[in-house]
Amino acid sequence: MDKRTKKNTKYTYDPSLIKALVEKYGYTSFYIRQCLSPKSNSLTADAIKADYKELEKKLKAMLLIFNNKS
């Protein structure tokens, strides 16, 4: 009887998008992830959330176009 291990899959973010936001804002990846959590409500966090959503939309659209061409 092995214990099941649980993985926190509730809040997973794309590492490439996190890296892009780190380069843009100059903060650590830990801070960027904290800003993306629903609990944060500062102006910086709101800007980071908006940028993340925009980048995520663009990435999904690009992947969709790539998959349709193949």
Side-chain angles (χ1 to χ4, degrees):
M1 292 186 157
D2 294 329
K3 285 187 177 181
R4 277 184 75 185
T5 57
K6 290 185 180 181
K7 235 182 187 182
N8 184 8
T9 57
K10 188 172 183 181
Y11 303 113
T12 55
Y13 304 108
D14 189 351
S16 61
L17 298 181
I18 297 290
K19 187 175 180 180
L21 291 172
V22 165
E23 290 176 10
K24 179 177 180 180
Y25 288 99
Y27 297 124
T28 62
S29 58
F30 179 76
Y31 181 74
I32 298 290
R33 277 189 243 101
Q34 279 185 329
C35 287
L36 290 172
S37 75
K39 296 178 185 176
S40 60
N41 56 1
S42 67
L43 293 176
T44 306
D46 291 341
I48 290 173
K49 285 177 191 177
D51 283 346
Y52 183 84
K53 287 179 184 179
E54 183 180 332
L55 287 172
E56 192 175 35
K57 277 184 189 177
K58 289 180 181 180
L59 181 64
K60 285 182 181 182
M62 192 178 352
L63 288 174
L64 184 64
I65 291 170
F66 179 76
N67 287 336
N68 287 338
K69 287 184 178 181
S70 297

